[in-house]
Every structure is written in C-alpha cells, then in structure tokens.
C-alpha cells in the first residue's frame, strides 16, 4: 500500500471487491500484487475503510530497481 493509493482521487468507473469485507467499492485501494508464473499479476484491493488493516505487500513497481 502506498501513500498515493490512499490519497489520490479514485478513478471513475473502476470497481473492485475489498479483500477484507468482500463488498464492492468504487474507490479501491491497491494493497498487494500477487505474481503469476504465466500471465499478468493479480492486484488485490481494499475499500478505503479497510485499507489500513491489510498487511502491506509489494505492489506493481514498488520493488522495481531498474532506473
């Protein structure tokens, strides 16, 4: 979870399910990316109310050390 994920305005039209309460939210906060051996990574989201409760994990680009 990054500060931008909590403070930036949500994108309109993006709906995701919260990993804590399992309710759909129109303001999803990316909290973790799960790598895949084939295909794209899966991003887990939380609603703004539960984003601080989720133990943070790396999200896309956070561990990228390339310039």
């Amino acid at each position: 979870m990054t500060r931008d994920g909590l403070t930036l305005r949500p994108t309109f039209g993006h709906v995701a399910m919260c990993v804590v309460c399992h309710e759909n939210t129109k303001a999803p906060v990316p909290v973790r990316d799960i790598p895949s051996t084939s295909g794209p990574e899966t991003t887990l989201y939380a609603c703004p109310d539960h984003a601080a409760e989720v133990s943070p994990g790396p999200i896309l680009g956070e561990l990228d050390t390339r310039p």
Side-chain angles (χ1 to χ4, degrees):
M1 174 175 22
T2 63
R3 190 180 93 190
D4 288 343
L6 292 172
T7 57
L8 291 178
R9 294 181 66 99
T11 54
F12 294 105
H14 187 184
V15 176
M17 183 172 30
C18 175
V19 295
V20 177
C21 65
H22 304 289
E23 296 289 328
N24 286 332
T25 177
K26 291 184 181 180
V29 177
V31 291
R32 185 176 299 133
D33 279 339
I34 300 174
S36 175
T37 56
S38 63
E41 295 180 338
T42 301
T43 303
L44 299 180
Y45 295 94
C47 63
D49 293 335
H50 293 117
E53 297 174 17
V54 179
S55 61
I59 61 172
L60 188 61
E62 224 177 27
L63 300 178
D64 199 10
T65 57
R66 290 175 277 163

